[in-house]
Amino acid sequence: MHLMQTATMPPQQVRPDQTVAPFLAHGPSGVPQVDLRGRKILVIEDDRLNLMILKEILKGEGFEISDADSAEEALTVYDSYKPDLILLDVMLPGIDGFACCKELHARYGAHTCPVIFITAKATSEDVLEGFRSGGIDYLPKPFRRRESLARIRTHLQTRLLMEEQQRLVAQLSSANAAKNRLLGMAAHDLRNPLASIKGLAEFLADGTVGPMSPDQLDLVKTIQETSQSMLALLSELLDVATVEAGDLKVVAEPTDFGALVTRAVQLNNINAAKKETKILVSSEAPSIRIRMDAAKIRQVVDNLLSNAVKYSPPKSTIRVYMEVSMEALRFVVQDEGPGIPPGEKQKLFKEFTTLSVRPTGGEKATGLGLAICRKIVEAHDGAIDAANLPEKGCEFSFTLPIKT
């Protein structure tokens, strides 16, 4: 039997799979109803009487209906017809309904339209076999009009709502990508003039163009500090744009992690000295070489150290130590700050979120640094965490697998 088509859609009806989105209305119960007119249903049934009954039930619903009398014919026309739903008889000549459903899922995977089996067999084993084959529901014979329509509408509505969700996700992804491109371009274009402002301020502060009064020198130092803060922010914005665009590249090479930490502590101690704070390595940094992106892991180490200085009171002691096992390396920073306020830990590693606690020396906090750290560590197949210490302060740590 050849494929037969019966179009019951009114001539003026616009198909919802075109550019017009499905119309949402509210039924008598107040539940949103999706306009299903024009949806394609493929009925695979070799019994002409059952086929006529199904078409009579679907008549007037605005569906576009086609039929096939064998699984082989249905598999042939599926690609060209592109149904939104299949009503599939279990007992068919040749390939049965279960095998047909399995073949559809093997060919089209997650893009296979919903399959509802139609059968007079309703034992538990038959139902389970249908679900194992990829079906989503059953229409028992003899057909009951209201029940059949309710099941068909429910699955068509679910499919349409999922399609709409996928469209919205695609639109949001596109908008987010555009935002990241704009963010990256803006941050990149602003770095050069800011670097020039910072350099000129340093040039003036050095007295190269002549002596300056104390008030003038104070203004120049303010320009230096502000431009440096803005440059740091722009660098973080560039990092965020890179990470969210999926362009974070990890170039892993054998690196002496202990030497990296030693150097980071030395340089961060310079800034810590301004608050009379000390960063101490609790034990000698072990000389262990692991595969990692040295520049990016150094960025994580620097961020954790600078945060510890930023949130600890003046004259604090910040302790650093490392734990090494056969499988992993753990880097730990312990500060003497206020710790993580109750209920705020979930904010720590998210972009553009800051805690209710504030830096103790008036330093700036963007809420970007830890989010970037998390992405870098995870790109190394590691994990980052934070926890309050028993008495006071907070412990930040990250773990990296040892890959030699």
Side-chain angles (χ1 to χ4, degrees), residues 263-279:
R263 181 59 177 159
V265 169
Q266 289 173 349
L267 293 180
N268 279 275
N269 258 322
I270 296 173
N271 285 329
K274 298 175 183 177
K275 297 176 73 171
E276 300 183 65
T277 291
K278 293 181 180 179
I279 305 174

Side-chain angles (χ1 to χ4, degrees), residues 238-292:
L238 279 171
D239 286 339
V240 167
T242 299
V243 167
E244 290 194 352
D247 295 331
L248 179 64
K249 301 292 190 300
V250 172
V251 181
E253 296 178 345
T255 304
D256 187 333
F257 186 79
L260 182 150
V261 169
T262 299
R263 181 59 177 159
V265 169
Q266 289 173 349
L267 293 180
N268 279 275
N269 258 322
I270 296 173
N271 285 329
K274 298 175 183 177
K275 297 176 73 171
E276 300 183 65
T277 291
K278 293 181 180 179
I279 305 174
L280 300 179
V281 181
S282 298
S283 59
E284 185 177 348
S287 179
I288 177 171
R289 296 182 69 82
I290 65 173
R291 290 188 63 81
M292 64 182 183

Side-chain angles (χ1 to χ4, degrees), residues 88-90 97-98 101 115-119 130-131 133 135 137-139:
L88 175 58
D89 189 16
V90 172
F98 296 143
C101 189
V115 175
I116 299 178
F117 286 108
I118 48 179
T119 182
F131 290 140
S133 302
D137 205 350
Y138 268 86
L139 284 187

